[in-house]
Structure formats: structure tokens, C-alpha cells
Amino acid sequence: MKLRHICINNLRRRKGKAGFLFVGLLIGVTTIVSMLTIVRSLEEDIQHKMDEFGANILITPRSDQLALSYGGLALGAVAFDLQEIRQADLAKIYTIPNNRNISRVAPKVMGAVDVRGRKALMVGVDFQQELGMKQWWNIRGAEPQDGSELMAGHGAAWTLALDVGQQVELLGRPFRVSGVLGEMGSQDDSILFVSLPVAQELLGKEGKVNMVEVSALCKDCPVEDMVRQISTVMPEARVMAIQQVVKGRMQAVDQLRKLSVGVSLVVIVIGSLMVMVTMMGAVNERINEIGIFRAIGFRRGHILRIILMEAGLVSLAAGAAGLLAGMGAAYLSIPLLGEAEAHHVAVSWNPAVILGSFALPPVFGLLASLYPALRAARMDPVRALRAL
């Protein structure tokens, strides 16, 4: 009879012990797999949402004539009347090596206007790109549909007594207020937004922009690399990364990853202790059996291999079952986490998790069984047989 046959027969005879060990490891593997899968899927979803919401790269003219703060961010020097960026040059952004990481490019042209005896800042934007980048905007009314409509920030609407549907004149051209932004607590509150081509025409800046906001998907490419690439193709412009945005994204993702790793380590330690205690109990119950094996010529190495093989087989089976159970648990749990649209989060099959499910349980099972196996192999056969 070969050693593997002895191992299988032992597991069959002691189904209760083997089942307890299997279920314990199954719960541990399922917990780790489901948690790592959930965290990875939510991490990808969070990364995607943060990449989609808001700019993380700013492009401005190289000038120090006029300081401007826009969107609550210090943009440095922007000269409205002296230097601008040619709008045609923005096509160069899509020629950089990492152009696939570019999500949105939102150009802007700015100028001061008189509205009902008060000074206001008019900003021409591409509404499709702007609204796609700033999905947190809450618009009362509707976004402008053509060049004859504008959208007012909350503060501008209050100061200038503007409301949805009213008419207002900017630089001699009438506009209809199609929508009013909800209060943002940022520079957007005090701005009048109009169509980019219309603003360029009114300000005499056809084909030119004062600033460009870029939303870059920086998961697979550091944003600093994209800044260098854009600076290379647009040497006449100043390209900056909004460091606080990028760092905030990375910190949020890193905290999720650390949490999953920490809980996984705790589960691994608990599972290993459970394996060791179970195997120690199994060795104590099999003193007579081990004594007989030693008496009929089994060497210490044979006893050691029998104990470790049993733990390895149970651990391998628990790892395979735990992988399937963990992925199923993740699939069922993700829709229950977060917002209503969380069901759109895709469950990610991580090759590292799959490989770890098959490799780590046997490894930790064998390590946890090593002490009980050594204890059994070193058992004095005379002492064991004396107990018969």
C-alpha cells in the first residue's frame, strides 16, 4: 500500500475531523477571496469614477500678467489680453504616447463683461466636455442648447437677479438663461457660462483659449508622465498636474488595499492556528496507529509525509472550493455595497487571487501541520505500542 492510499483512507475514516478542517479552511479562503475581489472591483470602480469626475491636469499660457483662481484651485498666471493658447494646438494632446489615458479635454476662454451695471466673468466652454467632466453639477433648469443661451452660477444669478427663462445682454448680444447651477462653494458660483464659439466671437478671440482642463485616466500611467508628454507637444504652454487631486485618489485606493491585506493576514493566521490545533488533535488520537506503523518498519520520514499529505489534500480542496465560494459571495455582495448604481460594478477575476487560492492554502496548511507531523514522526514506537 502506498502512502497516498493511507492518507486517503485516513481521511475517509475520520470524516468528521477532515470535514471540520475543510470547512474551517473553506471559510477562511472564501473570506479572503471575496474580500480581495470586492476591494479590487470597488477600487477599479472608484478609480474610474475619480478619473471621470474632474480635471487633474491644467494647461495655461506661459505668462505672469494676471493671477486667477478658478474652481477653487490656484492656476497661476493667465493673461487674457496678451497671450492665449491656439485652439488648433489642442489636437496635439491626442498625439502623446499615452493618449488612450485622456478622458476629457475642456477648453475655456474667459473675459470680463458688464451685466446690469455690474462686472462679471464670462467663461466660454464646450458644454459636452464640461458637463462630462463636472458630473457633480446640479443644474436647475437645463444646460444651454445653442449659442443664444447661457448658464449662470449660483452666486452670479443671485447677485445679478437672474433666473431661468430670463433674458440678459452680454457685450451687446441677448442671451436666455437656460439654467442656474446649484451652490458649489467654488469659483463656478460667480461665473456666467456660454458656448465656447460664442464667447470667442464676443471677446475677439476666435480660435484661441485661455485655459484647458484635462481629465486623465492615471491608473495605468502616472499623471506626471502625461504632463511631460503634453509639455513636449505643447512647449508654448504651461502644463501642471493638480497634485492634491492625484494624491487624494491614490490615498483612497491605497487605504482600500491596505484594509484588504490586513484583514487577509488576520484570516490566514487564524486559519493556520486552526489547522495546527486540528492536526495536533488528530496526532494524539492516532498514537496507536503511528506506533504500529513504526513497529512494522515505517521510518520517520514516512510518518511525516502521511501527516503533511493529509493536510495538503484537505487544504488544496478547500482552496479550490473557497475560490468558487468567494467569487460567488463577491458577486452577490457588491450590489449591496455603496450606492444604487453599485450593481454596475463588474466583478474582477484577479489572476493573483486565483493562483493564491490554489497555492497559499496548501502552503499554510503544510506549515501549520509541520509541528504536529514532526511530533508524530519523533514518537517512540515502544511508548505508542505500550498504550495498546
Side-chain angles (χ1 to χ4, degrees), residues 289-309:
E289 178 183 323
I290 293 171
I292 293 174
F293 284 152
R294 295 285 283 128
I296 63 177
F298 277 61
R299 295 190 296 272
R300 290 183 175 181
H302 294 145
I303 304 299
L304 185 66
R305 288 167 60 186
I306 290 173
I307 303 297
L308 293 179
M309 195 177 297

Side-chain angles (χ1 to χ4, degrees), residues 197-271:
V198 172
Q200 290 172 325
E201 178 185 349
L202 292 177
L203 297 173
K205 299 181 179 181
E206 290 85 350
K208 298 179 181 179
V209 296
N210 297 120
M211 183 180 70
V212 183
E213 291 183 311
V214 179
S215 176
L217 308 176
C218 55
K219 177 183 178 182
D220 301 317
C221 170
V223 69
E224 290 80 6
D225 290 350
M226 297 190 67
V227 168
R228 286 193 294 269
Q229 294 170 11
I230 296 175
S231 297
T232 301
V233 298
M234 299 183 65
E236 73 286 354
R238 181 186 180 192
V239 185
M240 301 168 286
I242 306 179
Q243 297 296 331
Q244 60 267 38
V245 174
V246 177
K247 290 179 180 179
R249 296 179 183 184
M250 295 302 106
Q251 287 176 358
V253 171
D254 190 54
Q255 290 297 326
L256 280 176
R257 190 180 298 112
K258 287 180 179 179
L259 173 64
S260 63
V261 171
V263 175
S264 298
L265 290 176
V266 172
V267 173
I268 288 173
V269 171
I270 294 175

Side-chain angles (χ1 to χ4, degrees), residues 1 5 11 13 44 85 94 98 128-129 145-146 158-159 205 210 235 267 269 311 330 369 374:
M1 180 177 289
H5 296 150
L11 292 176
R13 287 199 309 270
E44 292 179 353
I85 299 172
Y94 294 96
N98 286 94
Q128 181 179 2
Q129 296 294 324
Q145 300 298 318
D146 53 49
W158 184 83
T159 302
K205 299 181 179 181
N210 297 120
V267 173
V269 171
S369 302
L374 289 173

Side-chain angles (χ1 to χ4, degrees), residues 116-130:
R116 298 177 178 178
R118 295 177 179 270
K119 286 286 187 180
L121 178 62
M122 179 181 68
V123 177
V125 299
D126 181 333
F127 282 104
Q128 181 179 2
Q129 296 294 324
E130 197 74 16

Side-chain angles (χ1 to χ4, degrees), residues 70-71 121-123 151-154 156 187-193:
Y70 178 82
L121 178 62
M122 179 181 68
V123 177
M151 184 170 62
H154 180 272
Q187 188 73 21
D188 292 342
D189 289 342
S190 59
I191 291 176
L192 300 175
F193 294 93

